[in-house]
Amino acid sequence: MTQIELLLQYQQADMAADAFEKQINRDPNRIALKKNREFLVEQQNAAKKLEAEVAQMTDRVETIKLAIVRLEEQLNQMAKRMQDTPPTDLAKAQEAARNAQKLLSDLEDYEKEMRTIQKEAASREKAEKDIRVKFAKVKAEYDKQKEDYEAESKELKKELEQKRKEAEEKTAGLDPALLEKYRTIKQHCTPPVAKLYSGQCMGCNMSLPQATLRKLKNDSGIIECENCGRMLIQM
C-alpha cells in the first residue's frame, strides 16, 4: 500500500473518531449538565460576594456604634460642664451651643448611616439565603443528572477510545514525517488532506498556480495548498 493510500486510510479513521467525539460533546444531556454546573459556580460566587459585603457592613456598623457611644459620652460631659459651670457670657454660651449642635448633627448622621447599612445588609442576607436555597435545589438536580450522564457516557467513551485505537493502528507503515505533518496541519485545518481536482484544492476550493502544481514532492503525488496549507493528493 502506498503512502498516499495509508495516509487517506488513516485520515478516514481519524476523522471518524473526531466526528464521534463531536457527537458526544453535542449530547443534549452533556450540554445541560455543563450549563447547570456553570450556573452553580455562578451562584456560589454570587453568594460569597454577598456574604463578604454583609461582613463589611457588619464591621462598619460596629465602628459606627463605637463612634455613637463616644459622641454620647461627649454630649453628656458637655451637659455636665454646662450644669456645673454655666457660660459667663453670651459668646461662650453660643460656642457651647454650636459644639453641642455639631455633636448632635454627627450623632444623627451616624445613626442614619447605621440604619441604611442595616437595611442594605438585611436585603443582602435575604438575597444570599434565596441564592443558597436555589443552589441546593439545582445542586440536587445536578448530582442526579451527573450520575445518569456518567452512566450513559461510559459506553460512549469506551467506543470513542476504540475508534481512537483503530485510527492509531492505521499509522502502521506510514512515514513518521508525513504523519507529523498531518498532525501539524490538523491543528489549524481539518481535514488535513484534501483532493486536488482540476488544479483546485477541494478543501478551500481555491485554484493553485501551475508552478506549484509541478512541484510534486519526491514523486509522492502530494503537494501543499498555498492558500490553506492542506496536503493535496492528486487522484
Side-chain angles (χ1 to χ4, degrees):
M1 191 175 288
T2 67
Q3 287 295 302
I4 292 177
E5 291 172 331
L6 288 172
L7 186 61
L8 286 175
Q9 182 177 269
Y10 169 66
Q11 175 169 270
Q12 183 178 10
D14 186 39
M15 292 297 102
D18 285 352
F20 188 73
E21 185 173 12
K22 287 180 181 178
Q23 180 183 334
I24 292 175
N25 292 337
R26 288 195 299 264
D27 182 275
N29 292 333
R30 183 180 184 277
I31 293 172
L33 188 67
K34 181 181 178 183
K35 185 176 180 180
N36 281 341
R37 182 173 63 248
E38 291 172 349
F39 174 81
L40 289 173
V41 171
E42 179 184 317
Q43 293 300 299
Q44 195 171 39
N45 291 336
K48 287 180 179 179
K49 182 181 178 182
L50 287 171
E51 186 179 9
E53 289 175 353
V54 170
Q56 290 177 348
M57 290 179 177
T58 301
D59 290 343
R60 178 57 183 164
V61 167
E62 292 303 315
T63 300
I64 291 174
K65 286 180 178 179
L66 292 175
I68 288 174
V69 169
R70 288 195 296 270
L71 287 173
E72 289 175 340
E73 288 175 351
Q74 292 177 41
L75 281 168
N76 290 333
Q77 291 170 2
M78 183 178 291
K80 188 174 185 306
R81 285 198 303 271
M82 291 283 289
Q83 184 178 1
D84 293 344
T85 57
T88 55
D89 56 45
L90 181 59
K92 289 182 179 180
Q94 289 175 335
E95 182 182 1
R98 285 195 297 272
N99 290 337
Q101 187 59 43
K102 177 66 169 59
L103 290 173
L104 287 170
S105 178
D106 290 345
L107 184 60
E108 184 180 353
D109 289 343
Y110 276 131
E111 289 176 341
K112 182 179 180 181
E113 182 185 357
M114 184 169 67
R115 288 193 298 270
T116 299
I117 291 175
Q118 287 173 333
K119 184 178 179 180
E120 291 178 354
S123 175
R124 280 169 170 76
E125 285 176 342
K126 183 180 182 305
E128 182 189 350
K129 182 179 178 182
D130 291 344
I131 285 175
R132 294 197 181 281
V133 170
K134 187 184 296 183
F135 179 92
K137 181 180 178 181
V138 176
K139 181 66 164 61
E141 295 174 356
Y142 171 79
D143 289 342
K144 178 64 170 61
Q145 190 180 35
K146 183 179 179 182
E147 182 181 348
D148 293 343
Y149 175 74
E150 287 180 346
E152 174 190 335
S153 65
K154 189 174 181 180
E155 292 303 317
L156 293 175
K157 289 178 179 178
K158 283 184 180 179
E159 188 173 349
L160 176 60
E161 289 174 2
Q162 180 60 33
K163 288 182 180 297
R164 292 293 183 201
K165 181 180 178 182
E166 290 173 0
E168 192 61 28
E169 289 172 353
K170 301 293 184 182
T171 63
L174 192 58
D175 183 352
L178 197 58
L179 179 60
E180 179 63 25
K181 188 171 187 61
Y182 172 95
R183 289 173 174 167
T184 299
I185 294 172
K186 187 182 176 184
Q187 291 177 11
H188 60 82
C189 208
T190 302
V193 182
K195 292 181 180 180
L196 178 66
Y197 182 75
S198 296
Q200 188 178 57
C201 169
M202 293 291 96
C204 65
N205 298 318
M206 297 294 288
S207 297
L208 277 69
Q210 289 300 316
T212 301
L213 296 175
R214 289 194 292 269
K215 293 177 181 177
L216 299 180
K217 290 191 173 181
N218 300 320
D219 296 323
S220 65
I222 299 176
I223 60 174
E224 293 179 25
C225 176
E226 293 184 353
N227 300 295
C228 66
R230 285 182 172 89
M231 288 187 283
L232 298 177
I233 295 178
Q234 296 188 120
M235 303 301 290

